[in-house]
Amino acid sequence: ELTINHGTLTYNANTVIDFTATTPTMTETLTGDVSFTTTNRVAGRAISVRLIAGASIRTLTFPGTWKFFGSAAPATLAANKEAVLTVTAFGANEADVRAAYAAEP
């Protein structure tokens, strides 16, 4: 039986996703706008973050070097909606991060 731990990211306007985190899935409840970066990038590691917007629309900002697949980098998350952001490191630099994003309609 495979057990995957799930973690919580405490909201921070500058959220840092740590690729050495012991939990490959996390939830962050947004109480304001957010800008994402990563740290401790390890090639082959992926982290999925469930984002919860709360009662207000949230502005999302990502490093310009990330490449998004499936859709363009989102600019906002609508009020009372959830989304999943998955980031995968293909090297040790921020420019080596690839992302996929999907939000509730």
Side-chain angles (χ1 to χ4, degrees):
E1 178 178 321
L2 176 65
T3 302
I4 296 178
N5 295 326
H6 179 75
T8 300
L9 284 173
T10 301
Y11 170 75
N12 187 315
N14 296 303
T15 294
V16 179
I17 299 170
D18 186 346
F19 276 100
T20 59
T22 58
T23 56
T25 62
M26 301 179 197
T27 296
E28 182 175 23
T29 300
L30 305 177
T31 57
D33 297 336
V34 64
S35 179
F36 291 95
T37 58
T38 61
T39 190
N40 299 316
R41 290 164 294 279
V42 177
R45 288 289 312 256
I47 305 245
S48 292
V49 181
R50 177 177 70 155
L51 302 172
I52 301 172
S56 299
I57 191 170
R58 304 298 180 194
T59 298
L60 310 174
T61 306
F62 303 93
T65 57
W66 287 14
K67 293 194 187 307
F68 274 80
F69 294 91
S71 67
T76 60
L77 177 57
N80 300 310
K81 298 292 183 177
E82 293 185 17
V84 174
L85 170 68
T86 299
V87 290
T88 304
F90 285 89
N93 301 304
E94 196 77 71
D96 297 320
V97 173
R98 301 300 179 259
Y101 178 88
E104 279 185 89

